[in-house]
mmCIF file of all heavy atoms in Angstrom:
data_model
loop_
_atom_site.group_PDB
_atom_site.id
_atom_site.type_symbol
_atom_site.label_atom_id
_atom_site.label_comp_id
_atom_site.label_asym_id
_atom_site.label_seq_id
_atom_site.Cartn_x
_atom_site.Cartn_y
_atom_site.Cartn_z
ATOM 1 N N LEU A 1 -9.472 84.385 62.975
ATOM 2 C CA LEU A 1 -8.208 85.076 63.212
ATOM 3 C C LEU A 1 -6.974 84.168 63.112
ATOM 4 O O LEU A 1 -5.858 84.620 63.358
ATOM 5 C CB LEU A 1 -8.233 85.753 64.589
ATOM 6 C CG LEU A 1 -9.269 86.870 64.737
ATOM 7 C CD1 LEU A 1 -9.339 87.340 66.186
ATOM 8 C CD2 LEU A 1 -8.946 88.025 63.799
ATOM 9 N N ILE A 2 -7.160 82.910 62.728
ATOM 10 C CA ILE A 2 -6.018 81.997 62.630
ATOM 11 C C ILE A 2 -4.963 82.563 61.677
ATOM 12 O O ILE A 2 -3.784 82.655 62.023
ATOM 13 C CB ILE A 2 -6.446 80.589 62.164
ATOM 14 C CG1 ILE A 2 -7.406 79.944 63.158
ATOM 15 C CG2 ILE A 2 -5.216 79.702 61.948
ATOM 16 C CD1 ILE A 2 -8.080 78.683 62.630
ATOM 17 N N GLY A 3 -5.375 82.943 60.500
ATOM 18 C CA GLY A 3 -4.439 83.464 59.499
ATOM 19 C C GLY A 3 -3.704 84.696 59.984
ATOM 20 O O GLY A 3 -2.486 84.821 59.789
ATOM 21 N N GLU A 4 -4.412 85.614 60.610
ATOM 22 C CA GLU A 4 -3.789 86.834 61.133
ATOM 23 C C GLU A 4 -2.712 86.496 62.167
ATOM 24 O O GLU A 4 -1.622 87.069 62.157
ATOM 25 C CB GLU A 4 -4.846 87.741 61.748
ATOM 26 C CG GLU A 4 -4.288 89.012 62.361
ATOM 27 C CD GLU A 4 -3.643 89.961 61.363
ATOM 28 O OE1 GLU A 4 -4.092 90.026 60.208
ATOM 29 O OE2 GLU A 4 -2.682 90.652 61.761
ATOM 30 N N VAL A 5 -3.014 85.553 63.061
ATOM 31 C CA VAL A 5 -2.037 85.158 64.078
ATOM 32 C C VAL A 5 -0.825 84.506 63.418
ATOM 33 O O VAL A 5 0.325 84.821 63.752
ATOM 34 C CB VAL A 5 -2.675 84.222 65.133
ATOM 35 C CG1 VAL A 5 -1.618 83.652 66.063
ATOM 36 C CG2 VAL A 5 -3.748 84.970 65.923
ATOM 37 N N LEU A 6 -1.050 83.617 62.441
ATOM 38 C CA LEU A 6 0.059 82.948 61.762
ATOM 39 C C LEU A 6 0.939 83.948 61.011
ATOM 40 O O LEU A 6 2.170 83.843 61.032
ATOM 41 C CB LEU A 6 -0.453 81.873 60.805
ATOM 42 C CG LEU A 6 -1.209 80.702 61.443
ATOM 43 C CD1 LEU A 6 -1.649 79.711 60.375
ATOM 44 C CD2 LEU A 6 -0.405 80.029 62.515
ATOM 45 N N ILE A 7 0.329 84.911 60.361
ATOM 46 C CA ILE A 7 1.092 85.954 59.659
ATOM 47 C C ILE A 7 1.980 86.710 60.638
ATOM 48 O O ILE A 7 3.164 86.947 60.371
ATOM 49 C CB ILE A 7 0.142 86.922 58.920
ATOM 50 C CG1 ILE A 7 -0.444 86.236 57.685
ATOM 51 C CG2 ILE A 7 0.856 88.218 58.532
ATOM 52 C CD1 ILE A 7 -1.601 86.983 57.055
ATOM 53 N N ARG A 8 1.435 87.076 61.790
ATOM 54 C CA ARG A 8 2.227 87.814 62.783
ATOM 55 C C ARG A 8 3.388 86.966 63.299
ATOM 56 O O ARG A 8 4.484 87.474 63.512
ATOM 57 C CB ARG A 8 1.341 88.289 63.925
ATOM 58 C CG ARG A 8 0.404 89.409 63.494
ATOM 59 C CD ARG A 8 -0.431 89.885 64.651
ATOM 60 N NE ARG A 8 -1.396 90.887 64.224
ATOM 61 C CZ ARG A 8 -1.786 91.898 64.971
ATOM 62 N NH1 ARG A 8 -1.320 92.047 66.199
ATOM 63 N NH2 ARG A 8 -2.664 92.773 64.523
ATOM 64 N N ILE A 9 3.136 85.678 63.492
ATOM 65 C CA ILE A 9 4.201 84.779 63.950
ATOM 66 C C ILE A 9 5.333 84.757 62.924
ATOM 67 O O ILE A 9 6.507 84.937 63.267
ATOM 68 C CB ILE A 9 3.647 83.360 64.189
ATOM 69 C CG1 ILE A 9 2.763 83.351 65.447
ATOM 70 C CG2 ILE A 9 4.779 82.333 64.293
ATOM 71 C CD1 ILE A 9 1.924 82.090 65.607
ATOM 72 N N GLU A 10 4.990 84.541 61.671
ATOM 73 C CA GLU A 10 6.015 84.436 60.638
ATOM 74 C C GLU A 10 6.718 85.758 60.385
ATOM 75 O O GLU A 10 7.922 85.790 60.148
ATOM 76 C CB GLU A 10 5.404 83.872 59.356
ATOM 77 C CG GLU A 10 5.025 82.410 59.525
ATOM 78 C CD GLU A 10 4.443 81.765 58.283
ATOM 79 O OE1 GLU A 10 3.822 82.476 57.455
ATOM 80 O OE2 GLU A 10 4.607 80.545 58.140
ATOM 81 N N ARG A 11 6.005 86.859 60.462
ATOM 82 C CA ARG A 11 6.630 88.177 60.280
ATOM 83 C C ARG A 11 7.614 88.504 61.394
ATOM 84 O O ARG A 11 8.499 89.332 61.212
ATOM 85 C CB ARG A 11 5.560 89.269 60.209
ATOM 86 C CG ARG A 11 4.876 89.321 58.879
ATOM 87 C CD ARG A 11 3.997 90.525 58.757
ATOM 88 N NE ARG A 11 3.323 90.509 57.471
ATOM 89 C CZ ARG A 11 2.127 91.010 57.246
ATOM 90 N NH1 ARG A 11 1.459 91.587 58.229
ATOM 91 N NH2 ARG A 11 1.590 90.942 56.056
ATOM 92 N N ASN A 12 7.449 87.882 62.525
ATOM 93 C CA ASN A 12 8.340 88.109 63.662
ATOM 94 C C ASN A 12 9.413 87.030 63.766
ATOM 95 O O ASN A 12 9.973 86.795 64.831
ATOM 96 C CB ASN A 12 7.530 88.207 64.955
ATOM 97 C CG ASN A 12 6.896 89.568 65.097
ATOM 98 O OD1 ASN A 12 7.550 90.505 65.526
ATOM 99 N ND2 ASN A 12 5.636 89.681 64.700
ATOM 100 N N GLN A 13 9.706 86.380 62.651
ATOM 101 C CA GLN A 13 10.777 85.397 62.536
ATOM 102 C C GLN A 13 10.692 84.254 63.541
ATOM 103 O O GLN A 13 11.707 83.722 63.995
ATOM 104 C CB GLN A 13 12.165 86.054 62.629
ATOM 105 C CG GLN A 13 12.570 86.806 61.369
ATOM 106 C CD GLN A 13 11.866 88.134 61.208
ATOM 107 O OE1 GLN A 13 11.852 88.942 62.119
ATOM 108 N NE2 GLN A 13 11.271 88.357 60.047
ATOM 109 N N LEU A 14 9.484 83.857 63.873
ATOM 110 C CA LEU A 14 9.292 82.617 64.624
ATOM 111 C C LEU A 14 8.861 81.555 63.618
ATOM 112 O O LEU A 14 8.025 81.826 62.752
ATOM 113 C CB LEU A 14 8.241 82.788 65.721
ATOM 114 C CG LEU A 14 8.654 83.642 66.917
ATOM 115 C CD1 LEU A 14 7.475 83.849 67.854
ATOM 116 C CD2 LEU A 14 9.823 83.015 67.657
ATOM 117 N N LYS A 15 9.443 80.372 63.729
ATOM 118 C CA LYS A 15 9.086 79.274 62.834
ATOM 119 C C LYS A 15 8.000 78.432 63.475
ATOM 120 O O LYS A 15 8.062 78.127 64.667
ATOM 121 C CB LYS A 15 10.308 78.398 62.547
ATOM 122 C CG LYS A 15 11.349 79.088 61.709
ATOM 123 C CD LYS A 15 12.483 78.151 61.409
ATOM 124 C CE LYS A 15 13.521 78.884 60.569
ATOM 125 N NZ LYS A 15 14.712 78.063 60.356
ATOM 126 N N ILE A 16 7.037 78.034 62.672
ATOM 127 C CA ILE A 16 5.995 77.130 63.128
ATOM 128 C C ILE A 16 6.513 75.715 62.899
ATOM 129 O O ILE A 16 6.669 75.273 61.763
ATOM 130 C CB ILE A 16 4.673 77.377 62.375
ATOM 131 C CG1 ILE A 16 4.200 78.811 62.632
ATOM 132 C CG2 ILE A 16 3.623 76.355 62.808
ATOM 133 C CD1 ILE A 16 3.104 79.290 61.698
ATOM 134 N N LYS A 17 6.823 75.015 64.003
ATOM 135 C CA LYS A 17 7.413 73.685 63.928
ATOM 136 C C LYS A 17 6.356 72.580 63.926
ATOM 137 O O LYS A 17 6.608 71.482 63.472
ATOM 138 C CB LYS A 17 8.386 73.468 65.089
ATOM 139 C CG LYS A 17 9.540 74.456 65.109
ATOM 140 C CD LYS A 17 10.413 74.373 63.877
ATOM 141 C CE LYS A 17 11.299 73.165 63.932
ATOM 142 N NZ LYS A 17 12.228 73.068 62.801
ATOM 143 N N ALA A 18 5.180 72.869 64.475
ATOM 144 C CA ALA A 18 4.063 71.917 64.486
ATOM 145 C C ALA A 18 2.790 72.721 64.673
ATOM 146 O O ALA A 18 2.803 73.772 65.329
ATOM 147 C CB ALA A 18 4.234 70.898 65.604
ATOM 148 N N LEU A 19 1.704 72.223 64.088
ATOM 149 C CA LEU A 19 0.429 72.941 64.166
ATOM 150 C C LEU A 19 -0.700 71.960 63.924
ATOM 151 O O LEU A 19 -0.605 71.107 63.040
ATOM 152 C CB LEU A 19 0.411 74.035 63.095
ATOM 153 C CG LEU A 19 -0.843 74.879 62.937
ATOM 154 C CD1 LEU A 19 -0.457 76.290 62.498
ATOM 155 C CD2 LEU A 19 -1.800 74.275 61.947
ATOM 156 N N LYS A 20 -1.766 72.069 64.718
ATOM 157 C CA LYS A 20 -2.964 71.275 64.444
ATOM 158 C C LYS A 20 -4.191 71.941 65.058
ATOM 159 O O LYS A 20 -4.102 72.681 66.039
ATOM 160 C CB LYS A 20 -2.823 69.835 64.914
ATOM 161 C CG LYS A 20 -2.549 69.616 66.374
ATOM 162 C CD LYS A 20 -2.339 68.120 66.620
ATOM 163 C CE LYS A 20 -1.785 67.859 67.999
ATOM 164 N NZ LYS A 20 -1.521 66.429 68.220
ATOM 165 N N LEU A 21 -5.327 71.639 64.446
ATOM 166 C CA LEU A 21 -6.625 72.107 64.921
ATOM 167 C C LEU A 21 -7.217 71.000 65.771
ATOM 168 O O LEU A 21 -7.291 69.847 65.332
ATOM 169 C CB LEU A 21 -7.543 72.407 63.728
ATOM 170 C CG LEU A 21 -8.937 72.931 64.043
ATOM 171 C CD1 LEU A 21 -8.855 74.370 64.533
ATOM 172 C CD2 LEU A 21 -9.809 72.862 62.792
ATOM 173 N N ILE A 22 -7.614 71.343 66.997
ATOM 174 C CA ILE A 22 -8.185 70.351 67.910
ATOM 175 C C ILE A 22 -9.439 70.930 68.572
ATOM 176 O O ILE A 22 -9.657 72.145 68.546
ATOM 177 C CB ILE A 22 -7.177 69.921 69.004
ATOM 178 C CG1 ILE A 22 -6.803 71.117 69.885
ATOM 179 C CG2 ILE A 22 -5.945 69.285 68.386
ATOM 180 C CD1 ILE A 22 -6.023 70.740 71.137
ATOM 181 N N HIS A 23 -10.235 70.056 69.151
ATOM 182 C CA HIS A 23 -11.367 70.477 69.980
ATOM 183 C C HIS A 23 -11.259 69.688 71.279
ATOM 184 O O HIS A 23 -11.574 68.504 71.316
ATOM 185 C CB HIS A 23 -12.690 70.213 69.279
ATOM 186 C CG HIS A 23 -13.856 70.856 69.960
ATOM 187 N ND1 HIS A 23 -14.971 71.250 69.274
ATOM 188 C CD2 HIS A 23 -14.085 71.195 71.253
ATOM 189 C CE1 HIS A 23 -15.837 71.791 70.122
ATOM 190 N NE2 HIS A 23 -15.311 71.761 71.321
ATOM 191 N N MET A 24 -10.791 70.356 72.322
ATOM 192 C CA MET A 24 -10.553 69.688 73.599
ATOM 193 C C MET A 24 -11.851 69.371 74.330
ATOM 194 O O MET A 24 -12.803 70.155 74.291
ATOM 195 C CB MET A 24 -9.702 70.573 74.516
ATOM 196 C CG MET A 24 -8.265 70.689 74.103
ATOM 197 S SD MET A 24 -7.285 71.625 75.307
ATOM 198 C CE MET A 24 -7.567 73.292 74.720
ATOM 199 N N THR A 25 -11.837 68.235 75.001
ATOM 200 C CA THR A 25 -12.938 67.903 75.904
ATOM 201 C C THR A 25 -12.727 68.661 77.212
ATOM 202 O O THR A 25 -11.634 69.174 77.490
ATOM 203 C CB THR A 25 -12.952 66.396 76.213
ATOM 204 O OG1 THR A 25 -11.754 66.078 76.943
ATOM 205 C CG2 THR A 25 -13.050 65.550 74.950
ATOM 206 N N GLN A 26 -13.752 68.704 78.021
ATOM 207 C CA GLN A 26 -13.651 69.342 79.346
ATOM 208 C C GLN A 26 -12.522 68.695 80.160
ATOM 209 O O GLN A 26 -11.740 69.383 80.809
ATOM 210 C CB GLN A 26 -15.001 69.215 80.068
ATOM 211 C CG GLN A 26 -15.070 69.929 81.390
ATOM 212 C CD GLN A 26 -15.411 71.403 81.253
ATOM 213 O OE1 GLN A 26 -14.839 72.119 80.458
ATOM 214 N NE2 GLN A 26 -16.345 71.852 82.050
ATOM 215 N N SER A 27 -12.425 67.388 80.103
ATOM 216 C CA SER A 27 -11.397 66.658 80.829
ATOM 217 C C SER A 27 -9.987 67.027 80.344
ATOM 218 O O SER A 27 -9.068 67.200 81.149
ATOM 219 C CB SER A 27 -11.636 65.156 80.681
ATOM 220 O OG SER A 27 -10.612 64.429 81.288
ATOM 221 N N GLN A 28 -9.809 67.143 79.039
ATOM 222 C CA GLN A 28 -8.506 67.527 78.495
ATOM 223 C C GLN A 28 -8.108 68.937 78.922
ATOM 224 O O GLN A 28 -6.963 69.190 79.276
ATOM 225 C CB GLN A 28 -8.513 67.415 76.965
ATOM 226 C CG GLN A 28 -8.558 65.980 76.486
ATOM 227 C CD GLN A 28 -8.886 65.874 75.005
ATOM 228 O OE1 GLN A 28 -9.617 66.692 74.451
ATOM 229 N NE2 GLN A 28 -8.356 64.840 74.371
ATOM 230 N N VAL A 29 -9.064 69.831 78.908
ATOM 231 C CA VAL A 29 -8.798 71.214 79.336
ATOM 232 C C VAL A 29 -8.430 71.238 80.817
ATOM 233 O O VAL A 29 -7.484 71.923 81.222
ATOM 234 C CB VAL A 29 -10.005 72.133 79.064
ATOM 235 C CG1 VAL A 29 -9.768 73.516 79.642
ATOM 236 C CG2 VAL A 29 -10.296 72.231 77.581
ATOM 237 N N GLN A 30 -9.156 70.483 81.627
ATOM 238 C CA GLN A 30 -8.858 70.443 83.061
ATOM 239 C C GLN A 30 -7.448 69.938 83.316
ATOM 240 O O GLN A 30 -6.750 70.445 84.197
ATOM 241 C CB GLN A 30 -9.892 69.582 83.786
ATOM 242 C CG GLN A 30 -11.251 70.236 83.871
ATOM 243 C CD GLN A 30 -12.332 69.293 84.363
ATOM 244 O OE1 GLN A 30 -12.142 68.077 84.453
ATOM 245 N NE2 GLN A 30 -13.493 69.851 84.676
ATOM 246 N N GLY A 31 -6.996 68.945 82.542
ATOM 247 C CA GLY A 31 -5.637 68.449 82.683
ATOM 248 C C GLY A 31 -4.607 69.480 82.262
ATOM 249 O O GLY A 31 -3.586 69.673 82.930
ATOM 250 N N PHE A 32 -4.882 70.161 81.175
ATOM 251 C CA PHE A 32 -3.953 71.171 80.670
ATOM 252 C C PHE A 32 -3.799 72.338 81.644
ATOM 253 O O PHE A 32 -2.701 72.816 81.882
ATOM 254 C CB PHE A 32 -4.435 71.674 79.303
ATOM 255 C CG PHE A 32 -3.537 72.720 78.712
ATOM 256 C CD1 PHE A 32 -2.263 72.386 78.276
ATOM 257 C CD2 PHE A 32 -3.952 74.028 78.582
ATOM 258 C CE1 PHE A 32 -1.424 73.346 77.724
ATOM 259 C CE2 PHE A 32 -3.120 74.990 78.036
ATOM 260 C CZ PHE A 32 -1.856 74.645 77.601
ATOM 261 N N TYR A 33 -4.911 72.787 82.207
ATOM 262 C CA TYR A 33 -4.897 73.939 83.107
ATOM 263 C C TYR A 33 -4.916 73.530 84.586
ATOM 264 O O TYR A 33 -5.285 74.336 85.450
ATOM 265 C CB TYR A 33 -6.086 74.863 82.826
ATOM 266 C CG TYR A 33 -5.912 75.694 81.577
ATOM 267 C CD1 TYR A 33 -6.698 75.473 80.453
ATOM 268 C CD2 TYR A 33 -4.970 76.718 81.523
ATOM 269 C CE1 TYR A 33 -6.547 76.246 79.306
ATOM 270 C CE2 TYR A 33 -4.810 77.489 80.380
ATOM 271 C CZ TYR A 33 -5.610 77.254 79.277
ATOM 272 O OH TYR A 33 -5.452 78.019 78.144
ATOM 273 N N ALA A 34 -4.489 72.320 84.900
ATOM 274 C CA ALA A 34 -4.525 71.819 86.281
ATOM 275 C C ALA A 34 -3.824 72.738 87.268
ATOM 276 O O ALA A 34 -4.239 72.842 88.433
ATOM 277 C CB ALA A 34 -3.921 70.419 86.350
ATOM 278 N N VAL A 35 -2.803 73.445 86.818
ATOM 279 C CA VAL A 35 -2.066 74.370 87.690
ATOM 280 C C VAL A 35 -2.986 75.473 88.238
ATOM 281 O O VAL A 35 -2.713 76.050 89.291
ATOM 282 C CB VAL A 35 -0.851 74.965 86.941
ATOM 283 C CG1 VAL A 35 -1.279 75.863 85.797
ATOM 284 C CG2 VAL A 35 0.069 75.691 87.884
ATOM 285 N N HIS A 36 -4.092 75.730 87.554
ATOM 286 C CA HIS A 36 -5.024 76.784 87.961
ATOM 287 C C HIS A 36 -6.268 76.252 88.668
ATOM 288 O O HIS A 36 -7.210 77.008 88.923
ATOM 289 C CB HIS A 36 -5.483 77.591 86.736
ATOM 290 C CG HIS A 36 -4.390 78.312 86.041
ATOM 291 N ND1 HIS A 36 -3.553 79.213 86.652
ATOM 292 C CD2 HIS A 36 -3.978 78.260 84.741
ATOM 293 C CE1 HIS A 36 -2.680 79.694 85.781
ATOM 294 N NE2 HIS A 36 -2.917 79.121 84.628
ATOM 295 N N LYS A 37 -6.305 74.961 89.015
ATOM 296 C CA LYS A 37 -7.548 74.347 89.518
ATOM 297 C C LYS A 37 -8.102 75.000 90.781
ATOM 298 O O LYS A 37 -9.298 74.930 91.025
ATOM 299 C CB LYS A 37 -7.380 72.844 89.700
ATOM 300 C CG LYS A 37 -6.445 72.441 90.800
ATOM 301 C CD LYS A 37 -6.300 70.936 90.859
ATOM 302 C CE LYS A 37 -5.194 70.561 91.818
ATOM 303 N NZ LYS A 37 -4.626 69.281 91.562
ATOM 304 N N GLU A 38 -7.275 75.645 91.571
ATOM 305 C CA GLU A 38 -7.766 76.304 92.795
ATOM 306 C C GLU A 38 -8.182 77.754 92.561
ATOM 307 O O GLU A 38 -8.688 78.400 93.467
ATOM 308 C CB GLU A 38 -6.687 76.248 93.889
ATOM 309 C CG GLU A 38 -6.248 74.837 94.253
ATOM 310 C CD GLU A 38 -7.389 73.951 94.727
ATOM 311 O OE1 GLU A 38 -8.284 74.454 95.439
ATOM 312 O OE2 GLU A 38 -7.385 72.750 94.376
ATOM 313 N N ARG A 39 -7.970 78.250 91.369
ATOM 314 C CA ARG A 39 -8.292 79.648 91.061
ATOM 315 C C ARG A 39 -9.784 79.813 90.791
ATOM 316 O O ARG A 39 -10.434 78.911 90.262
ATOM 317 C CB ARG A 39 -7.513 80.115 89.825
ATOM 318 C CG ARG A 39 -6.007 80.015 89.947
ATOM 319 C CD ARG A 39 -5.456 81.248 90.665
ATOM 320 N NE ARG A 39 -4.027 81.203 90.806
ATOM 321 C CZ ARG A 39 -3.175 81.831 90.004
ATOM 322 N NH1 ARG A 39 -3.601 82.543 88.997
ATOM 323 N NH2 ARG A 39 -1.881 81.732 90.234
ATOM 324 N N PRO A 40 -10.346 80.972 91.124
ATOM 325 C CA PRO A 40 -11.793 81.187 90.934
ATOM 326 C C PRO A 40 -12.237 81.139 89.469
ATOM 327 O O PRO A 40 -13.399 80.844 89.188
ATOM 328 C CB PRO A 40 -12.039 82.571 91.532
ATOM 329 C CG PRO A 40 -10.705 83.206 91.687
ATOM 330 C CD PRO A 40 -9.691 82.109 91.755
ATOM 331 N N PHE A 41 -11.332 81.387 88.540
ATOM 332 C CA PHE A 41 -11.690 81.405 87.120
ATOM 333 C C PHE A 41 -11.571 80.039 86.442
ATOM 334 O O PHE A 41 -11.866 79.904 85.255
ATOM 335 C CB PHE A 41 -10.821 82.424 86.361
ATOM 336 C CG PHE A 41 -9.342 82.158 86.434
ATOM 337 C CD1 PHE A 41 -8.728 81.229 85.608
ATOM 338 C CD2 PHE A 41 -8.551 82.858 87.339
ATOM 339 C CE1 PHE A 41 -7.364 80.991 85.675
ATOM 340 C CE2 PHE A 41 -7.177 82.632 87.407
ATOM 341 C CZ PHE A 41 -6.588 81.699 86.567
ATOM 342 N N PHE A 42 -11.156 78.996 87.169
ATOM 343 C CA PHE A 42 -10.880 77.693 86.578
ATOM 344 C C PHE A 42 -12.086 77.126 85.820
ATOM 345 O O PHE A 42 -11.959 76.692 84.674
ATOM 346 C CB PHE A 42 -10.408 76.704 87.652
ATOM 347 C CG PHE A 42 -10.040 75.353 87.124
ATOM 348 C CD1 PHE A 42 -8.900 75.180 86.354
ATOM 349 C CD2 PHE A 42 -10.823 74.241 87.398
ATOM 350 C CE1 PHE A 42 -8.544 73.926 85.865
ATOM 351 C CE2 PHE A 42 -10.474 72.985 86.913
ATOM 352 C CZ PHE A 42 -9.330 72.831 86.143
ATOM 353 N N SER A 43 -13.264 77.142 86.430
ATOM 354 C CA SER A 43 -14.454 76.558 85.778
ATOM 355 C C SER A 43 -14.818 77.283 84.496
ATOM 356 O O SER A 43 -15.086 76.650 83.469
ATOM 357 C CB SER A 43 -15.655 76.572 86.729
ATOM 358 O OG SER A 43 -15.424 75.682 87.785
ATOM 359 N N SER A 44 -14.820 78.604 84.536
ATOM 360 C CA SER A 44 -15.187 79.352 83.332
ATOM 361 C C SER A 44 -14.116 79.193 82.250
ATOM 362 O O SER A 44 -14.438 79.107 81.064
ATOM 363 C CB SER A 44 -15.451 80.826 83.640
ATOM 364 O OG SER A 44 -14.279 81.485 84.055
ATOM 365 N N LEU A 45 -12.845 79.126 82.650
ATOM 366 C CA LEU A 45 -11.760 78.917 81.698
ATOM 367 C C LEU A 45 -11.927 77.567 80.998
ATOM 368 O O LEU A 45 -11.822 77.477 79.777
ATOM 369 C CB LEU A 45 -10.407 78.982 82.404
ATOM 370 C CG LEU A 45 -9.179 78.663 81.564
ATOM 371 C CD1 LEU A 45 -8.999 79.664 80.428
ATOM 372 C CD2 LEU A 45 -7.933 78.635 82.444
ATOM 373 N N CYS A 46 -12.216 76.531 81.771
ATOM 374 C CA CYS A 46 -12.396 75.196 81.189
ATOM 375 C C CYS A 46 -13.604 75.148 80.265
ATOM 376 O O CYS A 46 -13.538 74.554 79.176
ATOM 377 C CB CYS A 46 -12.502 74.148 82.292
ATOM 378 S SG CYS A 46 -10.945 73.887 83.175
#
């Protein structure tokens, strides 16, 4: 669905200023979503 999402972004006059494909480690995800660490869904989200 990457292409579909990008098409919708561009059709809605949003510019893509930076883009990359990544594969986050568990540790990276935990840092990114740290604001949710006390929530019951944190483990499954990570």
